[in-house]
Amino acid sequence: MTKGPRPLPETLHPRTRAVHGGTRRSQYGEVSEAIYLTQGFVYDSAEAAEARFIESGPDEFIYARYGNPTVRMFEDRMAQLEGTEDAFATASGMAAVNGALTAMLRAGDHVVSAKALFGSCLYILEEILTRFGVEVTFVDGTDLDQWRKAIRPETRAVFFESLSNPTLEVIDIRGVSDLAHAVGAFVVVDNVFATPVLQRSADLGADVVVYSATKHIDGQGRCLGGVICASRDFIRKVAEPYLKHTGGSLSPFNAWVMLKSLETMDLRVRAQAETAQKVAEAMQGAAGLARVIYPGLADHPQHDLNAAQMQGGGTMMALELDGGKEAAFRFLNALRIVLISNNLGDAKSIITHPATTTHQRLSEDQRKVLGITPGLLRLSIGLEDAGDIVADLKGALAAV
Ligand SMILES: *Cc1c(COP(=O)(O)O)cnc(C)c1O
């Protein structure tokens, strides 16, 4: 195998990088990326083994928990897409969120986080970090004043999702980053809802961008995976030592699935977002619907901010039904195409009732603060025909 990827021109569009970025070819010159389904690597001599444990080069591997050629291709491709120097792939999105935060934090540190978060992210910030002496302050992520008041000299990191799960709040990435950087804090953004196609958070000030690759990156609901994108220093000196010793590494097979998916991610996500815009417009004002929350609609509270930092409204929306949980359940049970499940970013449109599933763990008060009402449904738009999705949603509304 030739060492390292084939050099690419500097100026390539992300779409081209998503097809060619990071590819390594063996002595056989295969077109499609090889799966190196091996946990270990053989050394030419005892001296070579010793030398590699002292310092391994960028394309020298020791053990798949530390790194693997197929995983390395995925990491390299993701770093190129995100515009960061490096990346580390993880077994799931939560391994990426936990890895990025736990690797850098220690007792006595302070973290400021938006409160509108995916349930498991909230668990890490509320339950795990605090158990180890990290103080966490939660703010309304859409209110820059609250960030300004909460960030203080010992703040080591800020964390948020933009867009947020499931209520699609938009956070001013540049504004929060400027406040955090003024005290030397790291900006960690969970960019899952926005996708690497539609929003480059690192360009807007984020130092560390984390993904659940399970969502739009795979995009076809097959594999769990995650990735942390950041500077080479952060990845190699902070994230890698933590992750390689604690066991959250991505499997080579899953990395290969993700590599194949990245080739079509741009096409998929743009098509899904275009359909989402049509569906949101078609559902606005429908009888029985209190609200359609979609950043691409002019009535979204942060519509203008979203237009400035993201291309379009994305692939996710929330529908709030009149009539609470009972109406929401009747609506779900009447759907014939859209699936009741809790993945997102899939080729198949998927709908979730957050109050009884992903955010069930929260108290009713917490849910109210986050806008997760009994009538709220989170809808992930897939690759089906827009007219068929609208007909399915309207048919279910009629059944309510
Ligand atoms: C799904 C999700 C995660 C967790 O990803 P897994 O791959 O399921 O571990 C983290 N953040 C957000 C915003 C998500 O939607």
Side-chain angles (χ1 to χ4, degrees), residues 22-87:
T23 302
R24 276 98 168 137
R25 295 200 159 85
S26 76
Q27 71 272 31
Y28 301 113
E30 64 281 353
V31 173
S32 166
E33 295 77 4
I35 313 181
Y36 290 92
L37 209 52
T38 178
Q39 45 69 24
F41 301 85
V42 176
Y43 312 99
D44 289 338
S45 64
E47 290 76 11
E50 181 187 32
R52 198 168 298 180
F53 270 79
I54 294 171
E55 189 179 2
S56 43
D59 266 84
E60 294 178 343
F61 300 95
I62 290 176
Y63 189 58
R65 175 152 47 75
Y66 293 23
N68 165 287
T70 311
V71 175
R72 188 63 206 137
M73 290 193 246
F74 172 64
E75 293 170 337
D76 216 349
R77 193 169 290 179
M78 279 308 305
Q80 291 192 27
L81 284 179
E82 207 51 44
T84 54
E85 287 172 354
D86 213 340

Side-chain angles (χ1 to χ4, degrees), residues 117-186:
L117 296 178
F118 178 63
S120 299
C121 294
L122 194 59
Y123 184 80
I124 289 179
L125 285 145
E126 252 187 338
E127 308 285 338
I128 300 191
L129 293 180
T130 51
R131 209 191 286 164
F132 293 95
V134 174
E135 189 194 341
V136 183
T137 306
F138 289 99
V139 297
D140 171 350
T142 63
D143 182 351
L144 211 50
D145 249 7
Q146 291 197 18
W147 288 100
R148 188 174 292 118
K149 285 184 189 128
I151 292 171
R152 45 189 214 232
E154 64 275 25
T155 304
R156 177 99 170 105
V158 302
F159 180 79
F160 58 88
E161 299 166 4
S162 185
L163 316 166
S164 74
N165 181 352
T167 46
L168 298 145
E169 288 183 351
V170 182
I171 291 173
D172 181 350
I173 302 173
R174 171 66 62 198
V176 175
S177 298
D178 286 349
L179 292 170
H181 291 157
V183 300
F186 279 100

Side-chain angles (χ1 to χ4, degrees), residues 51-309:
R52 198 168 298 180
F53 270 79
I54 294 171
E55 189 179 2
S56 43
D59 266 84
E60 294 178 343
F61 300 95
I62 290 176
Y63 189 58
R65 175 152 47 75
Y66 293 23
N68 165 287
T70 311
V71 175
R72 188 63 206 137
M73 290 193 246
F74 172 64
E75 293 170 337
D76 216 349
R77 193 169 290 179
M78 279 308 305
Q80 291 192 27
L81 284 179
E82 207 51 44
T84 54
E85 287 172 354
D86 213 340
F88 197 93
T90 55
S92 69
M94 289 323 302
V97 173
N98 182 59
L101 292 171
T102 313
M104 80 164 99
L105 295 169
R106 61 187 64 231
D109 283 343
H110 176 238
V111 174
V112 182
S113 172
K115 57 185 160 210
L117 296 178
F118 178 63
S120 299
C121 294
L122 194 59
Y123 184 80
I124 289 179
L125 285 145
E126 252 187 338
E127 308 285 338
I128 300 191
L129 293 180
T130 51
R131 209 191 286 164
F132 293 95
V134 174
E135 189 194 341
V136 183
T137 306
F138 289 99
V139 297
D140 171 350
T142 63
D143 182 351
L144 211 50
D145 249 7
Q146 291 197 18
W147 288 100
R148 188 174 292 118
K149 285 184 189 128
I151 292 171
R152 45 189 214 232
E154 64 275 25
T155 304
R156 177 99 170 105
V158 302
F159 180 79
F160 58 88
E161 299 166 4
S162 185
L163 316 166
S164 74
N165 181 352
T167 46
L168 298 145
E169 288 183 351
V170 182
I171 291 173
D172 181 350
I173 302 173
R174 171 66 62 198
V176 175
S177 298
D178 286 349
L179 292 170
H181 291 157
V183 300
F186 279 100
V187 177
V188 185
V189 175
D190 179 334
N191 209 45
V192 165
F193 267 46
T195 80
V197 175
L198 302 176
Q199 177 170 286
R200 285 165 59 104
S201 294
D203 290 351
L204 296 163
D207 303 294
V208 182
V209 182
V210 291
Y211 285 103
S212 163
T214 317
K215 313 293 169 56
H216 303 80
I217 292 176
D218 177 351
Q220 292 161 73
R222 300 165 299 192
C223 287
L224 283 173
V227 64
I228 304 171
C229 303
S231 68
R232 184 147 300 127
D233 259 12
F234 185 88
I235 293 297
R236 296 301 149 198
K237 295 187 182 149
V238 180
E240 181 191 298
Y242 178 82
L243 285 156
K244 77 181 184 187
H245 293 301
T246 54
S249 313
L250 184 65
S251 96
F253 179 80
N254 288 10
W256 178 82
V257 171
M258 301 301 179
L259 275 166
K260 294 287 99 193
S261 287
L262 284 179
E263 296 182 342
T264 57
M265 179 174 66
D266 191 286
L267 291 171
R268 285 186 281 104
V269 167
R270 286 185 202 281
Q272 286 166 262
E274 196 180 310
T275 303
Q277 181 74 38
K278 285 184 193 157
V279 171
E281 285 170 11
M283 296 311 292
Q284 234 185 348
L289 265 190
R291 273 197 306 168
V292 178
I293 308 175
Y294 182 65
L297 292 177
D299 72 352
H300 187 285
Q302 295 101 33
H303 172 265
D304 293 347
L305 171 62
N306 191 68
Q309 64 184 23

